[in-house]
Amino acid sequence: MSLVSPGLDVPTAGDYAHDWTLIDVETSGLTPRRDRVLSVAVMTISPEGEQTGEFSTLLDPGCDPGPVEVHGLTAERLRGAPTFAQVAGRIGAMLQDRVLVAHHAQFDYDFLAHEFARARMWLPVSQRLCTLALNRQVDPPTGDLKLGTLAAHYGVPQQRAHDALDDTRVLAGILRASLREAARLALPLPLVTCPPRAASQFTPQPPKTPCAYRNPGPMAPGGPLRQGMKVAITGETAHARAELTGRAVAAGLNMMTSVSRHTSVLVTNEPASDSAKARRARTEGVPVIDEHTFLRLLADVRPGTAIATAATAVTGSEARRPAPAPPGAPAADAAPNRRTATPRAPAASTATAARIRRAEPAADAVPGRALAGHRVLVLGGVHTDAAAARTRVVALGGSAAINLSAGVTDVVVLPGGERDRRMTRIRALALPVHAPDWLTTPTAAAQPPRTPRPQEPAVLPRGGVIDLPMPPGAPFPVWHITAGWTPQSRFDVDVVAFLLDEDEQVTFDEDFIFYGAPESPAGTVRLLTGGPAEQTITLDLASLPPTIRKVVVAAAIDGSETFGTVGAMQISAAPGNSGPPLARATLDAATTERTMLLAEIYRRGPVWRLRTVGQGYDHALDALARGYGVDIAE
């Protein structure tokens, strides 16, 4: 079998030619540190597109095979198959010195990493390519990006879905077509560098028990303690810290690892201590008591208000308020570049309009939807002018693109944009190119020159709000909030998430999700990397504890560069890793910001909502994290 067929013009040189290893695994579940691989198929492809090897096998996982109705692999069928350790050497040889390719590659990569670690072997992968992420960049006119949907779009025959070997053969055809499209659009491949991995935590970390009570505020002088109070401890204690924490949690207190303005009391035997917690307590006016007093008050903790009762008492005004600045952020008069996220009316397709909460129209909105169905790429101009042009596109009912893709219908060239490296490819694709004044009176009455999609995502402006639907009678989907930007060569952009309680604070440091801790303890929130210019926060909203009232998704620049260099950030919300986007937004920060709030996902009664933010700050990620209560060393 060859990836090269007559007349397909498959790129076999330059940035698009690599030694590839295509892989697909069927698993007993979705959690790599806990679940096991049941079958694996591997195919190697040369830079010229020729298949050079193929291997597939069932595996005995030594555990329950999980959802048999999905993969069809019963315990009886797997009995007598080799273990992963017995075939790891052969798989490793096929991976060595090649780029791993999979559809949703991080899933397969993480499962392989854990299986190799269990076998006490290195996973010999230094780079991976996700065909799902690649097709998000290509943006084909399909309803979703599932393997079967892309196979049908690209004309690749599929015989047995969820069969590892057939899925790998289908993947080969999709890779061929996707590389051809990437070359046609001059897109850089979203190759992800993979660090060596040889060890792993094989059992899931038990989630920390959240406090069941609302925070009643600071402790009054002399006490008493009330259930739900946030308590922090610093310095040496006569009793073991674990004992103090355990007794406090049993009494209904909320034990914190850091101090913020929401902390009810700090326990320390050294009130003049120079620890970060003691300094913050003095700054915020947090009451301070010693260990002996704390133990005495623990004997009579007063009843609190249960979270379950309070969770449904969110008022309309509370849900409609503008996105707040993170705690600890500079005041408005000290941060002239701070953006206020005022809700505006989102432009939506008919299919999604009913799910969008309408806000007041934007002041700069214009009547009509002259650019409805158009996806417009803005090139050139200083940052403020480019941002204004993208805002105008959205006000006219269109969608603002940040990169060239198959979905782009028009290009607006601001001063200097004619020198953009993408202009050569834009001319070759014969895309309509417009001067800036086209956005004043667009002559775009004709249907956009592209294949229409089954459902266009709602286009949200900064501050737009949309309900995340709960399908009746079906499991609540895992939502994927994906951020993308123009690839950068001199610095990295990191996407992070904060899981916040009613006080806009993390309960535990583990509620801060970032590249160094990419998964929450219970696995309900994860950070996925689809490429050097794309990262995703996944949210299992149905499994979040009721104490989590909001999830904030943000981006930060690693280094001294600013978002003025990065340009616009695009975010999308989709149910599942390959589902069609429900909503999309293009967000611009000003010129000097180093961190940027992208979106908030928050509860309103039984409903979860997504609000785009687009608010930047000059300070770095550590200051943003401290503002949300994360304990970061000075």
Side-chain angles (χ1 to χ4, degrees), residues 568-595:
M569 299 280 290
Q570 178 180 281
I571 63 167
S572 64
N577 66 332
S578 54
L582 174 71
R584 179 185 288 150
T586 302
L587 304 172
D588 289 281
T591 57
T592 61
E593 284 86 346
R594 296 170 59 199
T595 56

Side-chain angles (χ1 to χ4, degrees), residues 232-257:
I233 302 175
T234 189
E236 296 293 329
T237 54
H239 294 74
R241 182 74 64 87
E243 178 187 351
L244 293 174
T245 299
R247 292 173 63 176
V249 169
L253 300 177
N254 192 353
M255 299 305 293
M256 308 296 292
T257 57

Side-chain angles (χ1 to χ4, degrees), residues 436-464:
D437 58 3
W438 179 73
L439 292 175
T440 304
T441 55
T443 56
Q447 187 69 20
R450 63 182 173 92
T451 304
R453 300 172 192 277
Q455 177 179 316
E456 292 287 348
V459 179
L460 299 182
R462 189 165 62 91

Side-chain angles (χ1 to χ4, degrees), residues 125-149:
V125 174
S126 59
Q127 281 187 312
R128 68 175 187 256
L129 174 69
C130 179
T131 50
L132 182 62
L134 177 57
N135 277 278
R136 269 197 290 265
Q137 290 192 9
V138 170
D139 198 23
T142 56
D144 56 55
L145 297 178
K146 296 177 181 178
L147 194 73
T149 303

Side-chain angles (χ1 to χ4, degrees), residues 190-376:
L191 296 170
V192 175
T193 300
C194 304
R197 297 181 64 171
S200 185
Q201 298 286 336
F202 300 138
T203 57
Q205 302 175 33
K208 296 185 178 180
T209 304
C211 182
Y213 303 94
R214 294 196 66 168
N215 181 11
M219 188 188 77
L225 293 173
R226 294 188 181 277
Q227 290 176 323
M229 280 187 171
K230 294 189 173 185
V231 180
I233 302 175
T234 189
E236 296 293 329
T237 54
H239 294 74
R241 182 74 64 87
E243 178 187 351
L244 293 174
T245 299
R247 292 173 63 176
V249 169
L253 300 177
N254 192 353
M255 299 305 293
M256 308 296 292
T257 57
S258 61
V259 172
S260 74
R261 69 180 185 276
H262 301 291
T263 303
S264 303
V265 63
L266 174 67
V267 178
T268 179
N269 293 324
E270 305 171 22
S273 167
D274 196 42
S275 72
K277 293 178 185 176
R279 293 199 308 273
R280 184 71 184 271
R282 290 192 290 269
T283 300
E284 300 291 350
V286 173
V288 178
I289 60 176
D290 61 24
E291 181 182 1
H292 175 74
T293 303
F294 180 57
L295 289 170
R296 177 175 57 80
L297 294 174
L298 270 181
D300 185 25
V301 176
R302 306 298 168 83
T305 302
I307 288 282
T309 301
T312 58
V314 182
T315 66
S317 60
E318 192 177 356
R320 289 178 173 84
R321 71 181 186 273
D333 57 356
N337 292 314
R338 172 177 155 187
R339 301 285 184 98
T340 302
T342 304
R344 295 180 178 176
S349 66
T350 303
T352 58
R355 295 195 294 266
I356 300 176
R357 182 175 67 82
R358 297 285 180 180
E360 292 300 319
D364 56 353
V366 297
R369 291 169 51 82
L371 293 184
H374 287 250
R375 190 148 170 75
V376 182

Side-chain angles (χ1 to χ4, degrees), residues 351-610:
T352 58
R355 295 195 294 266
I356 300 176
R357 182 175 67 82
R358 297 285 180 180
E360 292 300 319
D364 56 353
V366 297
R369 291 169 51 82
L371 293 184
H374 287 250
R375 190 148 170 75
V376 182
L377 177 64
V378 176
L379 300 181
V382 297
H383 183 90
T384 51
D385 290 345
R390 285 186 285 264
T391 300
R392 178 69 176 174
V393 168
V394 174
L396 289 167
S399 175
I402 61 172
N403 289 312
L404 182 62
S405 71
V408 169
T409 61
D410 300 89
V411 179
V412 172
V413 179
L414 303 181
E418 64 280 355
R419 297 189 297 273
D420 191 289
R421 62 173 182 79
R422 290 168 288 187
M423 280 302 301
T424 301
R425 192 52 50 113
I426 287 167
R427 295 189 184 98
L429 295 171
L431 287 173
V433 177
H434 309 282
D437 58 3
W438 179 73
L439 292 175
T440 304
T441 55
T443 56
Q447 187 69 20
R450 63 182 173 92
T451 304
R453 300 172 192 277
Q455 177 179 316
E456 292 287 348
V459 179
L460 299 182
R462 189 165 62 91
V465 178
I466 187 169
D467 289 346
L468 300 180
M470 301 174 63
F476 199 83
V478 175
W479 283 91
H480 285 58
I481 313 301
T482 298
W485 54 92
T486 302
Q488 306 295 321
S489 59
R490 304 192 314 273
F491 57 90
D492 295 325
V493 178
D494 297 313
V495 174
V496 302
F498 300 92
L499 283 61
L500 306 179
D501 62 14
E502 76 232 35
D503 294 322
E504 305 273 337
Q505 297 285 287
V506 299
T507 301
F508 310 107
D509 288 345
E510 291 83 356
D511 288 340
F512 172 35
I513 310 302
F514 67 110
Y515 62 90
E519 184 174 352
S520 63
T524 53
V525 181
R526 297 188 68 202
L527 169 65
L528 307 178
T529 301
E534 176 189 290
Q535 293 179 30
T536 297
I537 297 293
T538 70
L539 304 168
D540 185 356
L541 297 175
S543 299
L544 284 177
T547 51
I548 302 301
R549 305 301 303 281
K550 179 186 292 185
V551 178
V552 171
V553 178
I557 293 178
D558 183 17
S560 59
E561 294 288 345
T562 68
F563 278 102
T565 303
V566 176
M569 299 280 290
Q570 178 180 281
I571 63 167
S572 64
N577 66 332
S578 54
L582 174 71
R584 179 185 288 150
T586 302
L587 304 172
D588 289 281
T591 57
T592 61
E593 284 86 346
R594 296 170 59 199
T595 56
M596 183 177 180
L597 304 187
L598 301 176
E600 296 177 336
I601 301 89
Y602 63 94
R603 297 181 193 263
R604 184 163 187 261
V607 177
W608 284 94
R609 286 178 165 170
L610 178 142

